[in-house]
Amino acid sequence: MSETWTVLKMLRWITGYFQDKGIDSPRLDAELLLAEILKVDRIGIYLNYDRPLDSHELELIRPLVRKRGQREPLQYLLGYTEFWSRRFQVTPDVLIPRPDTEILVEEALRQVPEMLGRILDVGTGSGAIAISLAGELPKWEVTGFDLSSAALAVAKENGQLNGLDDRISWINGDLASLPQQTYDLIVSNPPYIATSEWDALMPEVRCHEPQMALLAEENGLLCYRLLAAQAPSRLTKGGWLLVEIGATQGAAVKQLFQDAGLRDIYLREDYAGLPRVVGGRRD
Ligand code: GLN
């Protein structure tokens, strides 16, 4: 005889299962997966506590719960996430945009009061930064640049989903040689995890997100060195280079910016009080 699984019973079961698997927010993740399958929002879960799941819904939820239990990120299972109040598709080809990275978007908007210009987003991944900036700066030309053509395909789709694809060029290339062009603003959330930090990452990140978007040589600093070195030839006069950094990298990245001859170098903390963005501009 088959058991009846009501929404509440399923919610409790999944929450317990996720708890056993060491997941940070077991109840929330259970709610979000159930909401996705039932095609309701989170409130809809509470309104449907007594409703039994049908066999089709049971079939859909089981593999998702199993994969989340294996620490696949929730966002990959849902297929999307939110960033800067927009929706972005995410696949394992792209790093999942983090709320912390919104600080980089905020800084970019603070530093570009002029009416128009050109922006380069280096290592654009899902396109989250490029698309968010294109949305806020309607007169600016935006280019998203990435080594991964698979990531660029996701970014392009995200541009279309957000109705901004005609404003953005997507270019495939290595950040060691940026496009031969000058920009008024270069932004980047490059890979910055040091090899020594790798083993301590959460399994969601370490086992499922693209390593090429995370790991960087030279103790996590390689990309900053390459970006800073090219900044003088790729920025317009007074143009800004703004990068996201790891919490321990502030002093080293500021030094790299200084060595490259940038001025007005500063560090911005995130809302948790951790160093998050370093900026500097061309003379
Ligand atoms: N902040 C990311 C993390 O939590 C790292 C992002 C990056 O390397 N650019 O793992």
Side-chain angles (χ1 to χ4, degrees):
M1 207 192 81
S2 64
E3 242 180 306
T4 303
W5 282 92
T6 61
V7 168
L8 180 59
K9 185 170 163 192
M10 185 56 96
L11 180 60
R12 287 189 174 144
W13 190 88
I14 300 173
T15 303
Y17 180 72
F18 285 174
Q19 223 154 14
D20 290 347
K21 297 287 176 184
I23 287 165
D24 266 354
S25 46
R27 170 85 181 197
L28 176 64
D29 284 19
E31 286 179 4
L32 291 171
L33 282 180
L34 263 174
E36 183 73 11
I37 295 302
L38 300 174
K39 300 193 175 64
V40 296
D41 56 17
R42 275 178 68 207
I43 303 298
I45 298 282
Y46 294 89
L47 299 176
N48 284 286
Y49 266 172
D50 298 329
R51 152 148 131 54
L53 278 85
D54 65 30
S55 57
H56 180 60
E57 289 163 341
L58 287 171
E59 234 168 78
L60 290 174
I61 195 83
R62 282 199 184 103
L64 292 176
V65 170
R66 192 183 61 247
K67 288 178 184 176
R68 186 69 192 101
Q70 290 162 352
R71 307 296 293 267
E72 280 193 38
L74 182 76
Q75 295 89 335
Y76 288 154
L77 297 174
L78 297 175
Y80 65 86
T81 192
E82 284 207 359
F83 180 84
W84 203 256
S85 304
R86 293 179 174 276
R87 188 179 267 228
F88 291 90
Q89 287 196 358
V90 288
T91 74
D93 285 320
V94 300
L95 189 83
I96 298 162
R98 319 287 206 245
D100 297 332
T101 303
E102 292 180 342
I103 302 285
L104 184 59
V105 175
E106 280 181 20
E107 281 309 296
L109 295 174
R110 207 166 63 82
Q111 301 298 7
V112 294
E114 299 99 75
M115 289 308 287
L116 72 162
R118 258 200 309 250
I119 298 177
L120 179 68
D121 174 20
V122 181
T124 196
S126 65
I129 300 168
I131 291 164
S132 301
L133 289 174
E136 299 293 333
L137 302 166
K139 301 232 167 93
W140 285 61
E141 262 175 56
V142 180
T143 300
F145 185 79
D146 207 289
L147 182 56
S148 160
S149 45
L152 285 175
V154 176
K156 191 169 168 54
E157 260 186 60
N158 280 325
Q160 285 161 354
L161 284 174
N162 282 279
L164 290 163
D165 198 46
D166 57 336
R167 301 268 323 287
I168 310 172
S169 320
W170 304 106
I171 299 182
N172 190 204
D174 190 322
L175 105 173
S177 85
L178 296 178
Q180 301 279 349
Q181 175 67 277
T182 54
Y183 298 91
D184 304 284
L185 171 66
I186 298 178
V187 285
S188 184
N189 173 20
Y192 57 70
I193 307 280
T195 320
S196 59
E197 296 169 322
W198 186 251
D199 289 344
L201 295 179
M202 282 160 58
E204 280 84 350
V205 180
R206 184 165 38 82
C207 307
H208 299 283
E209 294 200 80
Q211 189 169 319
M212 71 184 283
L214 291 162
L215 258 191
E217 286 171 36
E218 301 178 15
N219 213 15
L221 296 170
L222 171 68
C223 298
Y224 303 120
R225 184 173 62 72
L226 294 171
L227 287 171
Q230 294 172 90
S233 64
R234 299 302 198 284
L235 285 171
T236 53
K237 205 169 161 38
W240 284 94
L241 171 62
L242 297 170
V243 295
E244 177 172 322
I245 60 161
T248 60
Q249 294 171 319
V253 175
K254 280 166 87 177
Q255 186 63 50
L256 288 166
F257 276 34
Q258 204 160 351
D259 296 345
L262 298 175
R263 68 174 163 88
D264 299 341
I265 297 164
Y266 73 99
L267 179 93
R268 157 105 198 252
E269 291 180 350
D270 61 24
Y271 294 111
L274 298 170
R276 185 56 65 191
V277 167
V278 169
R281 69 204 303 203
R282 210 199 103 180
D283 241 343

